[in-house]
mmCIF file of all heavy atoms in Angstrom:
data_model
loop_
_atom_site.group_PDB
_atom_site.id
_atom_site.type_symbol
_atom_site.label_atom_id
_atom_site.label_comp_id
_atom_site.label_asym_id
_atom_site.label_seq_id
_atom_site.Cartn_x
_atom_site.Cartn_y
_atom_site.Cartn_z
ATOM 1 N N ARG A 26 19.438 -9.478 10.375
ATOM 2 C CA ARG A 26 19.412 -8.332 11.334
ATOM 3 C C ARG A 26 18.788 -8.581 12.621
ATOM 4 O O ARG A 26 19.257 -8.304 13.744
ATOM 5 C CB ARG A 26 18.800 -7.051 10.735
ATOM 6 C CG ARG A 26 18.680 -5.851 11.558
ATOM 7 C CD ARG A 26 20.063 -5.249 11.913
ATOM 8 N NE ARG A 26 19.812 -4.018 12.596
ATOM 9 C CZ ARG A 26 19.965 -3.836 13.829
ATOM 10 N NH1 ARG A 26 20.117 -4.821 14.635
ATOM 11 N NH2 ARG A 26 19.828 -2.619 14.483
ATOM 12 N N PHE A 27 17.615 -9.333 12.598
ATOM 13 C CA PHE A 27 16.867 -9.517 13.834
ATOM 14 C C PHE A 27 16.817 -11.078 14.273
ATOM 15 O O PHE A 27 16.175 -11.302 15.259
ATOM 16 C CB PHE A 27 15.444 -9.046 13.616
ATOM 17 C CG PHE A 27 15.406 -7.564 13.380
ATOM 18 C CD1 PHE A 27 15.213 -7.090 12.001
ATOM 19 C CD2 PHE A 27 15.587 -6.577 14.342
ATOM 20 C CE1 PHE A 27 15.211 -5.736 11.781
ATOM 21 C CE2 PHE A 27 15.633 -5.271 14.085
ATOM 22 C CZ PHE A 27 15.358 -4.736 12.781
ATOM 23 N N GLY A 28 17.471 -11.970 13.504
ATOM 24 C CA GLY A 28 17.447 -13.288 13.906
ATOM 25 C C GLY A 28 16.082 -13.994 13.777
ATOM 26 O O GLY A 28 15.861 -14.982 14.384
ATOM 27 N N LEU A 29 15.182 -13.520 12.951
ATOM 28 C CA LEU A 29 13.900 -14.080 12.675
ATOM 29 C C LEU A 29 14.026 -15.320 11.868
ATOM 30 O O LEU A 29 14.685 -15.346 10.853
ATOM 31 C CB LEU A 29 12.986 -13.118 12.112
ATOM 32 C CG LEU A 29 11.507 -13.453 11.966
ATOM 33 C CD1 LEU A 29 10.933 -13.518 13.436
ATOM 34 C CD2 LEU A 29 10.695 -12.498 11.104
ATOM 35 N N SER A 30 13.451 -16.444 12.344
ATOM 36 C CA SER A 30 13.622 -17.684 11.615
ATOM 37 C C SER A 30 12.502 -17.788 10.573
ATOM 38 O O SER A 30 11.487 -17.107 10.594
ATOM 39 C CB SER A 30 13.384 -18.909 12.598
ATOM 40 O OG SER A 30 12.041 -19.000 13.044
ATOM 41 N N GLU A 31 12.726 -18.658 9.586
ATOM 42 C CA GLU A 31 11.837 -18.877 8.576
ATOM 43 C C GLU A 31 10.534 -19.352 8.992
ATOM 44 O O GLU A 31 9.480 -19.145 8.293
ATOM 45 C CB GLU A 31 12.466 -19.813 7.422
ATOM 46 C CG GLU A 31 13.573 -19.161 6.578
ATOM 47 C CD GLU A 31 13.944 -19.921 5.419
ATOM 48 O OE1 GLU A 31 13.126 -20.777 4.901
ATOM 49 O OE2 GLU A 31 15.154 -19.849 4.980
ATOM 50 N N ASP A 32 10.473 -19.999 10.146
ATOM 51 C CA ASP A 32 9.281 -20.500 10.686
ATOM 52 C C ASP A 32 8.223 -19.348 10.957
ATOM 53 O O ASP A 32 7.058 -19.543 11.159
ATOM 54 C CB ASP A 32 9.455 -21.268 11.978
ATOM 55 C CG ASP A 32 10.307 -22.595 11.747
ATOM 56 O OD1 ASP A 32 10.514 -22.896 10.613
ATOM 57 O OD2 ASP A 32 10.612 -23.102 12.774
ATOM 58 N N ASN A 33 8.790 -18.054 11.095
ATOM 59 C CA ASN A 33 7.961 -16.913 11.401
ATOM 60 C C ASN A 33 7.979 -15.991 10.171
ATOM 61 O O ASN A 33 7.580 -14.751 10.434
ATOM 62 C CB ASN A 33 8.646 -16.222 12.648
ATOM 63 C CG ASN A 33 8.354 -17.063 13.895
ATOM 64 O OD1 ASN A 33 7.312 -17.408 14.156
ATOM 65 N ND2 ASN A 33 9.430 -17.273 14.623
ATOM 66 N N MET A 34 8.209 -16.417 9.011
ATOM 67 C CA MET A 34 8.001 -15.691 7.789
ATOM 68 C C MET A 34 6.995 -16.246 6.860
ATOM 69 O O MET A 34 7.040 -17.487 6.592
ATOM 70 C CB MET A 34 9.367 -15.522 7.167
ATOM 71 C CG MET A 34 10.400 -14.751 7.930
ATOM 72 S SD MET A 34 11.880 -14.576 6.919
ATOM 73 C CE MET A 34 13.002 -14.017 8.138
ATOM 74 N N PHE A 35 6.054 -15.491 6.520
ATOM 75 C CA PHE A 35 4.915 -16.092 5.689
ATOM 76 C C PHE A 35 4.720 -15.229 4.376
ATOM 77 O O PHE A 35 4.607 -14.063 4.427
ATOM 78 C CB PHE A 35 3.630 -16.043 6.488
ATOM 79 C CG PHE A 35 3.836 -16.732 7.833
ATOM 80 C CD1 PHE A 35 4.155 -16.118 8.943
ATOM 81 C CD2 PHE A 35 3.743 -18.124 7.888
ATOM 82 C CE1 PHE A 35 4.367 -16.701 10.204
ATOM 83 C CE2 PHE A 35 3.906 -18.780 9.094
ATOM 84 C CZ PHE A 35 4.207 -18.090 10.223
ATOM 85 N N ASP A 36 4.720 -15.958 3.315
ATOM 86 C CA ASP A 36 4.393 -15.273 1.995
ATOM 87 C C ASP A 36 2.832 -15.286 1.862
ATOM 88 O O ASP A 36 2.151 -16.222 2.167
ATOM 89 C CB ASP A 36 4.904 -16.091 0.826
ATOM 90 C CG ASP A 36 6.417 -16.055 0.758
ATOM 91 O OD1 ASP A 36 6.939 -15.005 0.928
ATOM 92 O OD2 ASP A 36 7.023 -17.106 0.431
ATOM 93 N N VAL A 37 2.303 -14.048 1.433
ATOM 94 C CA VAL A 37 0.931 -13.922 1.228
ATOM 95 C C VAL A 37 0.922 -13.404 -0.254
ATOM 96 O O VAL A 37 0.822 -12.258 -0.524
ATOM 97 C CB VAL A 37 0.327 -12.873 2.168
ATOM 98 C CG1 VAL A 37 -1.149 -12.699 1.860
ATOM 99 C CG2 VAL A 37 0.475 -13.369 3.691
ATOM 100 N N PRO A 38 0.906 -14.337 -1.212
ATOM 101 C CA PRO A 38 0.987 -14.003 -2.658
ATOM 102 C C PRO A 38 -0.418 -13.470 -3.043
ATOM 103 O O PRO A 38 -1.386 -13.928 -2.595
ATOM 104 C CB PRO A 38 1.366 -15.267 -3.312
ATOM 105 C CG PRO A 38 1.000 -16.304 -2.416
ATOM 106 C CD PRO A 38 1.074 -15.820 -1.003
ATOM 107 N N SER A 39 -0.368 -12.685 -4.113
ATOM 108 C CA SER A 39 -1.597 -12.014 -4.633
ATOM 109 C C SER A 39 -1.536 -12.419 -6.160
ATOM 110 O O SER A 39 -0.504 -12.308 -6.875
ATOM 111 C CB SER A 39 -1.642 -10.610 -4.511
ATOM 112 O OG SER A 39 -1.701 -10.244 -3.089
ATOM 113 N N GLY A 40 -2.679 -12.676 -6.701
ATOM 114 C CA GLY A 40 -2.831 -12.905 -8.195
ATOM 115 C C GLY A 40 -2.899 -11.614 -8.921
ATOM 116 O O GLY A 40 -2.548 -11.635 -10.098
ATOM 117 N N SER A 41 -3.446 -10.536 -8.349
ATOM 118 C CA SER A 41 -3.579 -9.304 -9.022
ATOM 119 C C SER A 41 -3.578 -8.145 -7.992
ATOM 120 O O SER A 41 -3.782 -8.381 -6.913
ATOM 121 C CB SER A 41 -4.659 -9.295 -9.903
ATOM 122 O OG SER A 41 -5.948 -9.380 -9.101
ATOM 123 N N ILE A 42 -3.457 -6.940 -8.537
ATOM 124 C CA ILE A 42 -3.510 -5.667 -7.674
ATOM 125 C C ILE A 42 -5.006 -5.613 -7.179
ATOM 126 O O ILE A 42 -5.958 -5.973 -7.812
ATOM 127 C CB ILE A 42 -3.202 -4.456 -8.470
ATOM 128 C CG1 ILE A 42 -1.687 -4.477 -8.920
ATOM 129 C CG2 ILE A 42 -3.616 -3.244 -7.730
ATOM 130 C CD1 ILE A 42 -1.371 -3.354 -9.714
ATOM 131 N N GLY A 43 -5.137 -5.389 -5.870
ATOM 132 C CA GLY A 43 -6.427 -5.281 -5.300
ATOM 133 C C GLY A 43 -6.697 -6.434 -4.394
ATOM 134 O O GLY A 43 -7.600 -6.404 -3.525
ATOM 135 N N GLU A 44 -5.955 -7.486 -4.444
ATOM 136 C CA GLU A 44 -6.106 -8.690 -3.658
ATOM 137 C C GLU A 44 -5.305 -8.608 -2.359
ATOM 138 O O GLU A 44 -5.539 -9.347 -1.342
ATOM 139 C CB GLU A 44 -5.731 -9.925 -4.299
ATOM 140 C CG GLU A 44 -6.538 -10.338 -5.468
ATOM 141 C CD GLU A 44 -6.101 -11.652 -6.175
ATOM 142 O OE1 GLU A 44 -5.153 -12.279 -5.613
ATOM 143 O OE2 GLU A 44 -6.728 -12.010 -7.160
ATOM 144 N N ASP A 45 -4.334 -7.693 -2.189
ATOM 145 C CA ASP A 45 -3.464 -7.621 -1.084
ATOM 146 C C ASP A 45 -4.157 -7.307 0.191
ATOM 147 O O ASP A 45 -3.792 -7.974 1.205
ATOM 148 C CB ASP A 45 -2.339 -6.509 -1.352
ATOM 149 C CG ASP A 45 -1.463 -7.047 -2.452
ATOM 150 O OD1 ASP A 45 -0.935 -8.077 -2.456
ATOM 151 O OD2 ASP A 45 -1.192 -6.191 -3.318
ATOM 152 N N TYR A 46 -5.069 -6.472 0.272
ATOM 153 C CA TYR A 46 -5.773 -6.183 1.478
ATOM 154 C C TYR A 46 -6.495 -7.385 1.947
ATOM 155 O O TYR A 46 -6.360 -7.759 3.189
ATOM 156 C CB TYR A 46 -6.699 -5.031 1.388
ATOM 157 C CG TYR A 46 -7.538 -4.698 2.568
ATOM 158 C CD1 TYR A 46 -7.056 -4.087 3.606
ATOM 159 C CD2 TYR A 46 -8.905 -5.202 2.641
ATOM 160 C CE1 TYR A 46 -7.743 -3.871 4.818
ATOM 161 C CE2 TYR A 46 -9.614 -4.947 3.772
ATOM 162 C CZ TYR A 46 -9.133 -4.315 4.881
ATOM 163 O OH TYR A 46 -9.779 -4.127 6.011
ATOM 164 N N VAL A 47 -7.318 -7.933 1.064
ATOM 165 C CA VAL A 47 -8.096 -9.091 1.551
ATOM 166 C C VAL A 47 -7.255 -10.291 1.856
ATOM 167 O O VAL A 47 -7.453 -10.913 2.966
ATOM 168 C CB VAL A 47 -9.082 -9.560 0.360
ATOM 169 C CG1 VAL A 47 -9.789 -10.860 0.599
ATOM 170 C CG2 VAL A 47 -10.115 -8.433 0.100
ATOM 171 N N ASN A 48 -6.157 -10.531 1.230
ATOM 172 C CA ASN A 48 -5.313 -11.630 1.472
ATOM 173 C C ASN A 48 -4.503 -11.468 2.801
ATOM 174 O O ASN A 48 -4.464 -12.359 3.632
ATOM 175 C CB ASN A 48 -4.301 -11.883 0.298
ATOM 176 C CG ASN A 48 -4.915 -12.399 -0.907
ATOM 177 O OD1 ASN A 48 -6.075 -12.847 -0.868
ATOM 178 N ND2 ASN A 48 -4.154 -12.366 -2.026
ATOM 179 N N ALA A 49 -4.042 -10.197 3.015
ATOM 180 C CA ALA A 49 -3.406 -9.854 4.313
ATOM 181 C C ALA A 49 -4.411 -10.041 5.548
ATOM 182 O O ALA A 49 -4.064 -10.616 6.486
ATOM 183 C CB ALA A 49 -2.855 -8.557 4.281
#
Side-chain angles (χ1 to χ4, degrees):
R26 174 72 170 95
F27 299 103
L29 190 65
S30 71
E31 286 191 28
D32 296 352
N33 289 307
M34 295 186 191
F35 305 94
D36 289 319
V37 181
S39 296
S41 64
I42 292 176
E44 294 180 3
D45 293 313
Y46 174 78
V47 172
N48 291 350

